[in-house]
């Protein structure tokens, strides 16, 4: 069996392929060249990923006769800002040979790089093509597909951005071997989410391969990422601009996001908050008679096996409720939450009350 796979994201004239393989970075140059009319590429990466994989990306680009340079910015969510975009634009407009409308941006890194470089590509010279090369599991299974780009604002996360679909996505699973273990688990929370909302067989796969996945075994990672990308691609193809079913991807994110705001973004990883958010949402789904307790327990077991948190004491229900009401996705003061019924059966509920949130949070405080 070959490990390599390609998943097509169907978006009419903006369709693209996600290519997943060990060593796929070696094919980056050919992928950029295949977009047509490119004479050069600029790799945007962060200070952790650049030293590890920047040279490999450049080598592949030059082997395909493309001019190539690398621009780096300091790693970390704190740098996902317009100030970073501004400084990258300065660097981009100073590279030699100079960029033109045919230059391709390569986003090499985790979700922060994908979001920042994607936004730079969306606005530089009124729009350059971008190829996403995700190197964190979260970026592989989630942020590199779908075309959302953006940066944070002092008043909230991801408030400034643009939709800008990539021309291609290149996933080299070998790069995941240097990813810190906690970052791997962070991405796995989104994987469990995909399984719960769209593909119970993905949960079976994760349960059967926990050790291989945590070991970053190449074959398991290709399979895991391939299945996740297929789910995300199908949801995005169905609803590119999030007017309907794309919101299903927010499963675990309403309360999860409120927990992040409440305890502080520095104090909890996104995937950890989403893990807690899914446990809380499932409590509400079970109490409404939508979900069987056995399914809720199963999701909890899978999260625990991946070292993701399922309990968190000391959360103030009133504070969480207040934050939920200010969610970017709330409409007219009503809180919306994605609840999973039977696995793969999802609905958006817009009648969530303070009492519901308090009850859901109860699941996080139990022994
Ligand atoms: N655009 C979207 O649709 C979308 C979806 C989900 C999340 N996001 C965004 O993604 C971001 C989170 O992404 P993330 O979890 O990848 O964070 P990240 O980009 O900060 O990466 C996590 C850490 O791992 C390092 N790293 C990445 N790849 C590595 C590798 N192969 N080896 C060693 N170190 C490596 C990074 O430098 C960083 O320190 C958030 O800003 C979030 O808002 C965007
Ligand atoms: Zn998420």
């Amino acid at each position: 069996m070959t490990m390599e796979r390609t998943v097509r994201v169907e978006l009419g004239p903006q369709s693209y392929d996600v290519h997943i393989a060990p060593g796929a970075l070696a094919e980056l140059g050919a992928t950029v060249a295949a977009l047509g009319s490119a004479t050069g590429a600029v790799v945007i990466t962060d200070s952790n990923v650049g030293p590890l994989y920047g040279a490999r990306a450049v080598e592949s680009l030059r082997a395909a006769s493309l001019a190539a340079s690398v621009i780096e910015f300091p790693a970390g969510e704190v740098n996902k800002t317009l100030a970073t975009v501004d400084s990258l634009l300065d660097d981009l407009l100073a590279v030699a040979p100079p960029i033109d409308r045919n230059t391709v941006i390569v986003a090499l890194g985790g979700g922060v790089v994908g979001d920042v470089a994607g936004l730079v590509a969306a606005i530089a010279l009124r729009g350059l093509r971008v190829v996403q090369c995700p190197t964190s599991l979260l970026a592989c299974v989630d942020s590199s597909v779908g075309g959302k780009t953006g940066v944070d604002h002092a008043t909230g996360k991801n408030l400034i951005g643009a939709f800008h679909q990539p021309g291609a996505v290149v996933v080299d699973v070998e790069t995941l071997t240097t990813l810190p273990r906690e970052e791997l688990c962070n991405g796995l929370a989104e994987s469990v989410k995909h399984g719960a909302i769209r593909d119970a067989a993905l949960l079976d796969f994760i349960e059967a391969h926990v050790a291989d996945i945590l070991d970053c075994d190449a074959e398991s990672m290709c399979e895991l990422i391939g299945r996740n990308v297929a789910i995300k691609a199908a949801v995005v193809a169905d609803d590119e601009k999030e007017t309907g079913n794309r919101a299903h991807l927010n499963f675990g994110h309403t309360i999860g996001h409120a927990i992040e705001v409440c305890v502080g973004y520095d104090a909890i990883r996104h995937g950890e908050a989403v893990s807690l958010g899914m446990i809380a949402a499932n409590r509400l789904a079970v109490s409404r008679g939508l979900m069987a307790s056995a399914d809720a327990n199963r999701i909890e077991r899978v999260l625990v096996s991946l070292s993701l948190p399922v309990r968190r004491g000391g959360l103030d229900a009133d504070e969480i409720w207040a934050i939920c009401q200010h969610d970017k996705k709330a409409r007219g003061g009503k809180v919306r939450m994605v609840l999973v019924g039977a696995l793969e059966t999802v609905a958006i509920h817009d009648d969530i009350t303070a009492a519901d949130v308090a009850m859901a949070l109860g699941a996080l405080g139990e022994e």
Side-chain angles (χ1 to χ4, degrees), residues 96-113:
I99 63 163
D100 59 37
R101 294 295 302 276
N102 291 322
T103 301
V104 174
I105 300 294
V106 173
L108 177 69
V112 167
V113 169

Side-chain angles (χ1 to χ4, degrees), residues 138 142 190 193 249 253 270 274:
L138 182 132
D142 191 351
E190 304 286 359
K193 175 193 81 178
L249 297 170
H253 281 62
H270 177 69
V274 170

Side-chain angles (χ1 to χ4, degrees), residues 20-352:
I20 305 157
L25 259 187
E27 296 155 49
L28 172 65
T31 306
V32 170
L35 297 178
S37 67
T39 50
V42 177
V43 178
I44 297 182
T45 186
D46 74 16
S47 51
N48 292 331
V49 178
L52 291 168
Y53 304 111
R56 231 181 268 184
V58 165
E59 188 187 336
S60 169
L61 290 162
R62 292 194 179 144
S65 306
L66 295 160
S69 37
V70 181
I71 320 181
E72 234 175 71
F73 66 93
E77 182 75 28
V78 289
N79 297 308
K80 205 177 98 169
T81 59
L82 270 184
T84 298
V85 169
D86 194 28
S87 124
L88 288 170
L89 287 169
D90 287 344
D91 296 343
L92 186 63
L93 293 168
V95 298
I99 63 163
D100 59 37
R101 294 295 302 276
N102 291 322
T103 301
V104 174
I105 300 294
V106 173
L108 177 69
V112 167
V113 169
D115 277 2
V116 168
L119 182 57
V120 167
I123 59 180
L125 306 186
R126 294 205 181 82
L128 299 176
R129 291 169 297 177
V130 63
V131 169
Q132 291 283 349
C133 288
T135 64
S136 72
L137 186 63
L138 182 132
C140 292
V141 301
D142 191 351
S143 57
S144 63
V145 172
K148 280 192 191 176
T149 74
V151 295
D152 302 331
H153 183 261
T155 57
K157 273 191 72 176
N158 296 324
L159 292 181
I160 301 161
F163 281 96
H164 189 56
Q165 297 292 344
V169 181
V170 176
V171 181
D172 184 343
V173 298
E174 275 170 10
T175 63
L176 295 171
T177 55
T178 53
L179 189 68
R181 165 86 168 232
E182 316 79 70
E183 295 298 344
L184 191 71
C185 296
N186 191 38
L188 287 167
E190 304 286 359
S191 254
V192 173
K193 175 193 81 178
H194 285 149
I197 63 168
R198 284 289 190 281
D199 183 7
L202 171 57
L203 291 180
D204 298 336
F205 175 81
I206 294 173
E207 279 180 310
H209 296 86
V210 171
D212 288 339
I213 290 169
L214 293 176
D215 247 15
C216 253
D217 163 68
E219 191 169 337
S220 303
M221 289 327 248
C222 286
E223 177 71 15
L224 177 79
I225 294 166
R227 281 169 174 262
N228 277 282
V229 169
I231 293 168
K232 176 112 194 226
V235 174
V236 170
D238 197 34
D239 178 19
E240 189 189 352
K241 297 276 164 74
E242 196 169 324
T243 50
N245 290 345
R246 186 163 177 175
H248 291 173
L249 297 170
N250 296 326
F251 173 50
H253 281 62
T254 304
I255 288 182
H257 176 245
I259 292 173
E260 281 180 293
V261 173
C262 191
V263 308
Y265 288 107
D266 315 339
I268 190 165
R269 283 193 171 73
H270 177 69
E272 295 168 348
V274 170
S275 178
L276 295 168
M278 290 191 283
I279 295 290
N282 288 349
R283 167 59 53 93
L284 191 52
V286 169
S287 83
R288 290 190 172 195
L290 301 166
M291 177 182 247
S293 321
D295 285 335
N297 292 339
R298 178 173 180 216
I299 292 177
E300 180 165 327
R301 267 201 320 275
V302 176
L303 292 169
V304 169
S305 75
L306 300 171
S307 315
L308 285 159
V310 295
R311 295 287 181 273
R312 175 116 187 175
L315 293 169
D316 181 64
D318 293 333
E319 199 181 336
I320 297 283
W321 168 249
I323 298 166
C324 286
Q325 285 182 301
H326 288 106
D327 195 291
K328 189 167 59 169
K329 277 143 191 144
R331 299 267 189 289
K334 282 197 183 150
V335 170
R336 291 151 58 94
M337 220 160 121
V338 178
L339 299 181
V340 174
L343 293 176
E344 305 179 11
T345 314
V346 194
I348 301 162
H349 295 254
D350 59 8
D351 58 349
I352 306 299

